[in-house]
Amino acid sequence: MALRWLNAGLGLPIVGLLILGVVTTSAQQTSPQPHPTPQAQAAKPANIDRNGVLMLIRSTLVALDHANKTGNYTVLRDLGAPGFQVNTAAKLAEIFAKQRGDKLDLSGVTVIDPQLSLLPQIEPNGMLHMAGFFPSVPSQVNFELLFAPVEGQWRVFGVSLLVGQTAPVAPEPPESKAVASQKQAAPSKPVGPSRQPAPTATQ
């Protein structure tokens, strides 16, 4: 199941917070400001170094992890952009209830380097957009993040998470077990007593 954003790639204003996979509910936010004719524009690479990217990813997911573990989403909300703060702390608690109930642990993001599937880019609406995954075991954490510029800082506007297996597992063909059992049950070739040549008398 691929991560996706509502209206992403269409040049339209991104709609708020969308949680996929583990959490199926979503919260919509109001886009900060309308943008003129975004269809004629294209995303461009973001001028941000690797350390800056790591700080944004980790600080966001660690804040979410702490909120899930404590049940207090006030700090997560306060760290967000004005469009993210449309969600109250109670609303965020409702959105992330499934993750909280499943005791999803995101602490591994502090020691594992993420692999980016979408390098940081500036969308036509001015937001910083990136996506990737943490190849952890037993579950891989896939993420997609949006940040809005607020007073010279990037502040979270949208989060999308998908938690799954680290690699696809192919189902075992139904015939394989039957064949194995038949082979095990098949009688082996009968082995009779060894026939040795009869002793001959020697003079």
Side-chain angles (χ1 to χ4, degrees):
M1 179 178 181
L3 288 173
R4 61 179 176 84
W5 288 97
L6 292 179
N7 299 328
L10 301 179
L12 300 177
I14 302 295
V15 178
L17 179 67
L18 175 64
I19 310 299
L20 298 178
V22 176
V23 179
T24 57
T25 56
S26 64
Q28 294 184 345
Q29 304 168 2
T30 305
S31 181
Q33 292 180 356
H35 301 280
T37 61
Q39 283 90 347
Q41 303 174 18
K44 58 184 180 180
N47 185 18
I48 182 172
D49 63 13
R50 180 177 181 275
N51 289 336
V53 170
L54 289 176
M55 285 191 296
L56 286 174
I57 294 172
R58 285 180 170 148
S59 62
T60 301
L61 296 185
V62 166
L64 174 58
D65 187 49
H66 289 170
N68 283 340
K69 288 176 178 175
T70 63
N72 186 345
Y73 292 83
T74 304
V75 174
L76 176 64
R77 177 183 179 275
D78 291 346
L79 290 173
F84 185 84
Q85 293 177 2
V86 169
N87 294 300
T88 63
K91 180 63 176 178
L92 291 175
E94 180 184 331
I95 292 170
F96 291 102
K98 180 70 165 60
Q99 288 185 2
R100 193 169 60 255
D102 290 343
K103 300 188 183 302
L104 176 63
D105 186 5
L106 298 175
S107 58
V109 304
T110 60
V111 294
I112 302 172
D113 284 341
Q115 306 295 317
L116 294 181
S117 55
L118 175 65
L119 295 178
Q121 63 184 33
I122 305 298
E123 298 293 345
N125 58 9
M127 291 192 186
L128 176 63
H129 183 197
M130 64 183 77
F133 62 93
F134 286 89
S136 53
V137 177
S139 297
Q140 175 173 290
V141 177
N142 303 274
F143 63 87
E144 192 166 2
L145 303 172
L146 276 177
F147 298 91
V150 179
E151 299 178 352
Q153 293 184 336
W154 291 112
R155 299 178 67 175
V156 67
F157 180 80
V159 179
S160 178
L161 289 181
L162 174 65
V163 180
Q165 295 174 331
T166 55
V169 178
E172 187 177 0
E175 297 83 9
S176 61
K177 289 185 178 179
V179 171
S181 62
Q182 287 175 3
K183 285 183 179 179
Q184 292 172 356
S188 57
K189 187 176 181 180
V191 178
S194 60
R195 295 183 180 180
Q196 299 181 355
T200 55
T202 57
Q203 292 180 351

